[in-house]
Each structure stands twice: as C-alpha cells, then as structure tokens.
Amino acid sequence: MSILLSGGAGYIGSHTAVALLQAGQDVVIADNFCNSSPKVLDRIEAITGKRPALIDADLCDREAADAIFRSHTITGVVHFAGLKAVGESVQKPLLYYRNNLDSALTLLEVMQAHGCRQFVFSSSATVYGDQPAPLHEDSPTGGCSNPYGWTKFMIEQILLSACAADPALSVVLLRYFNPVGAHESGLIGENPNGIPNNLMPYITQVAVGRREKLTIFGNDYPTPDGTGVRDYIHVVDLANGHLAALNYCAAHTGCEIFNLGTGHGVSVLEMVETFESVNHVAVPHVIGPRRAGDLATVYASAEKAERMLGWKAEKTLADMCRDSWNWQSKNPNGY
Ligand code: NAD
Ligand code: UDP
C-alpha cells in the first residue's frame, strides 16, 4: 500500500516524500523530470535510509499512468505534477493548459478505474486573484492574472464536480502560499531552471555569486515599507501539511479546501534583511519598477487548517533563510 506522488521528484514533492517515508509510509514517485532531476532519489535515500519506488512517466500518458496502478497498490495520490512558471505560462498557454489539465484528468480517470479515491491537489493562493488579505478558503476565486493560475482554478472546478458526482471520492485542495526553504540537511531544495522568477531562489543565487544583484520590484506599494508582502512558508512545514491532508482524506469524503500558509505577511525588504543577518552574507539589491500582475499584499488565514487538520506552520522566517542558504551554498549549481 503506497502513496503516489505525481511530480514527486520536484521541490515540494521531494520534501513530502521525505516526510511520508519518515512517517513510515511507502511512497511511489512518478515524474517525467521535465523540471527535476532523478538525482533527487539518491538524496531522499540519504536523508531517510529508504528509497521510494520511481516511475519515469508522463502523467498525461494514459497507458503509463494506468501501469503505475497495475504495478502498485496505491491508496492515495498527491498530485504535484504540473508546470508552474507564471511568465512561461503567458508565453506558452496551450502547453500549460495541456500539461496541467491533462495530467490531472488522466490521473483521476485512472484512479477511478482502479478504485482509488483519495486525492490531494497542489493548488495555489493565485486562485484568489486580487482579494483583500487575509485570504480565507471561502474568499472568491477566479480573476487569475495568468494561464498558470487559471489551470489551478480549472482543476479545482474539475475536482469539485468529480466529488459532487461521486460521494465516495475524497479530495483535499491545498492552496499553497509562498514555499521557500529546504530540508535542514541541505541535500534537497529548490532548483529552478534558468533565471529564477521567485524571490528566494533569486536571493540565494545573488548571495552565492551566480547573479549580480536582486531587483526589488517596486517600493511604492501600500505596505509598511512600500515593497510587496507575501506569506512565505517553509517547505518542510508545507510537506507536513500533506501528511495531515492525507490523514484527513482517509477519514472523510467530499472536497475540502485548505490554505497552507503561516498567516503572516513579510515584505521583500524584510526578507532580504533577515537573509543577510541570519546568514552573514550580502545580497546587493536595487529598487526597480513594479512587475506586471503583482499584488501588494497576499497572506493566508491559516485558521482552518489548524482547526480541521491539526496542522500549523512551525518554522520561522530565520529558519527559512538559513535553510535556503544552506541548500544553495552546498549545491551552488543545483543537483
Ligand atoms: P516542481 O517543478 O519542482 O515540481 C513539479 C514536478 O512535476 C517536476 O518534478 C516535474 O518534472 C513534474 N512534472 C511536470 N509535468 C509532468 C507530467 N506531465 N508528468 C510527470 N511529471 C511532471 O514544482 P514544485 O514547486 O514542487 O510545485 C509542485 C506543485 O505545487 C505544482 O503543481 C505547482 O504548480 C504547485 N505550487 C507550487 C508553488 C511554488 O511556489 N513552488 C506554489 C503554489 C503551488
Ligand atoms: N520579487 C522581487 N524581485 C524578484 C522576485 C520577486 O522583488 O526578483 C518580489 C515580488 O514582486 C513579490 C515577492 O517578491 O512582491 C514574491 O515574489 P514571488 O515571485 O516569489 O512570488 P509571487 O509574486 O508569485 O507571490
């Protein structure tokens, strides 16, 4: 009996694999490595002493997906697989809609055929669009500013419809806020291709000397210091949230939505200053123009996950900065 992690070789999936293995669960990872490296399996084994089963498969491929369920007894699925670069999704919308929707639909059909009914989905705070913080699970969704966000919105709708049609299904939609940090071993972490879009990998690549300076996208937002505010969550806390979600799935049917965030907003400048002081390393930075589509302030209400899943984020901003830097400095060029 295993948990299938689609996209389990990626940033969040690999940390979740570690958490599940350490909790004594069997794990099957299915990934096509379009944004990850098979080397992550060695690292997971080095941390946990256990090696998850690995299937090199495109989850859009119905036959390949079916073969996973024929060769393993899968009791639940966490669906991480997907393309996630916001800017690229604007340039290549069809690629994003095809890959993200097709992989989700294929997995759901194959699960149905094999009688597997527990599904945890990696959604995103981006589905809220421009709504006032704190964001609650029942805040309005839609109004996404890019195709990536729309894929998350559409898959949420698909899952709500699937649950309405099949009362035996058990689905948890996890809306992640801003995952950062790395496993404290420094063996696994975030490994973006090319120029990072996200703040933390950009900071760590500047600190390690791969990039000259960070550009802060605007300091004229209506926030305490004028820079954008987000809810950064340590990826190990996030991984543990998946264990709680799987336990919830096993005990309930229907579709439930949870924010996974800390409930606290942190500005770009606060992040840079904390990173520098915790790690004793300089992050040269300049103020630039706002980035198109960015919101001033985004943070979660984290109350529902604590109340219903018994989960809350434990790690501090200093932990996030220390662990991100530990990973980057030990792996300056990634895996
Ligand atoms: P990631 O790119 O590191 O991991 C995704 C994995 O899915 C990669 O290993 C990739 O190779 C694999 N993959 C993609 N398409 C596939 C396919 N068709 N078949 C098989 N494997 C495929 O990304 P991540 O940061 O770990 O994110 C995991 C999930 O969480 C994604 O769905 C992402 O959209 C979502 N999410 C991420 C963030 C974030 O900031 N990291 C925030 C909100 C939501
Ligand atoms: N940001 C920045 N410079 C960068 C990358 C990001 O100033 O090189 C800011 C961005 O404007 C936002 C915050 O950092 O206010 C988080 O951005 P990220 O892309 O990591 O997350 P998202 O905007 O998707 O929540």
Side-chain angles (χ1 to χ4, degrees):
M1 303 232 288
S2 301
I3 302 296
L4 172 64
L5 305 183
S6 82
Y11 173 46
I12 303 169
S14 57
H15 288 83
T16 304
V18 166
L20 284 166
L21 290 165
Q22 287 179 334
Q25 305 240 35
D26 289 331
V27 171
V28 175
I29 288 179
D31 205 300
N32 66 357
F33 303 108
C34 66
N35 197 38
S36 55
S37 163
K39 287 185 194 153
V40 83
L41 272 291
D42 300 333
R43 306 289 184 92
I44 292 171
E45 189 176 8
I47 295 169
T48 64
K50 298 175 196 166
R51 195 171 183 89
L54 172 66
I55 297 170
D56 185 344
D58 185 335
L59 277 318
C60 299
D61 177 340
R62 171 78 192 236
E63 175 49 32
D66 198 74
I68 301 169
F69 285 77
R70 289 200 306 270
S71 56
H72 294 88
T73 305
I74 305 293
T75 51
V77 174
V78 187
H79 183 45
F80 297 104
L83 299 173
K84 64 165 184 174
V86 170
E88 187 184 51
S89 81
V90 177
Q91 305 302 319
K92 301 177 183 169
L94 301 187
L95 175 72
Y96 272 66
Y97 286 114
R98 169 63 70 192
N99 188 69
N100 292 4
L101 295 178
D102 211 354
S103 58
L105 286 166
T106 303
L107 257 179
L108 286 165
E109 286 170 356
V110 168
M111 283 174 64
Q112 192 176 45
H114 289 267
C116 176
R117 292 202 163 86
Q118 295 170 29
F119 193 83
V120 176
F121 175 57
S122 297
S123 191
S124 167
T126 191
V127 299
Y128 290 115
D130 191 1
Q131 296 290 327
L135 294 154
H136 295 266
E137 287 81 352
D138 56 3
S139 298
T141 55
C144 304
S145 59
N146 55 74
Y148 165 72
W150 282 116
T151 69
K152 295 297 178 191
F153 176 84
M154 289 176 187
I155 296 166
E156 287 199 358
Q157 300 308 308
I158 289 167
L159 289 165
L160 286 162
S161 302
C163 283
D166 179 358
L169 255 186
S170 177
V171 172
V172 169
L173 308 181
L174 296 178
R175 293 181 180 154
Y176 308 155
F177 280 66
N178 288 62
V180 296
H183 190 264
E184 64 179 9
S185 64
L187 286 168
I188 55 174
E190 189 171 11
N191 187 28
N193 276 331
I195 302 171
N197 297 302
N198 295 115
L199 179 64
M200 183 60 97
Y202 209 104
I203 288 177
T204 60
Q205 291 196 9
V206 170
V208 85
R210 272 171 73 180
R211 312 210 174 263
E212 189 194 342
K213 59 179 185 297
L214 170 75
T215 301
I216 295 179
F217 297 143
N219 67 348
D220 58 352
Y221 284 105
T223 62
D225 64 21
T227 66
V229 166
R230 296 289 182 275
D231 186 339
Y232 297 95
I233 174 168
H234 196 295
V235 67
V236 170
D237 278 334
L238 192 68
N240 289 329
H242 293 75
L243 267 66
L246 283 163
N247 289 338
Y248 186 90
C249 258
H252 299 82
T253 55
C255 187
E256 205 62 60
I257 305 173
F258 297 101
N259 288 337
L260 293 185
T262 65
H264 302 291
V266 169
S267 77
V268 179
L269 270 176
E270 213 178 331
M271 179 64 95
V272 172
E273 284 160 10
T274 307
F275 189 93
E276 292 185 319
S277 75
V278 167
N279 296 316
H280 310 290
V281 59
V283 181
H285 52 276
V286 293
I287 306 295
R290 291 183 178 192
R291 179 171 67 179
D294 271 0
L295 301 173
T297 302
V298 181
Y299 62 90
S301 162
E303 178 273 330
K304 185 178 174 187
E306 182 170 2
R307 177 167 44 85
M308 290 178 63
L309 297 179
W311 169 92
K312 70 179 168 72
E314 307 281 352
K315 292 187 181 275
T316 64
L317 187 62
D319 295 332
M320 301 178 208
C321 290
R322 187 197 58 233
D323 292 336
S324 292
W325 179 234
N326 183 43
W327 152 253
Q328 181 73 81
S329 50
K330 285 182 174 157
N331 305 269
N333 297 306
Y335 286 106

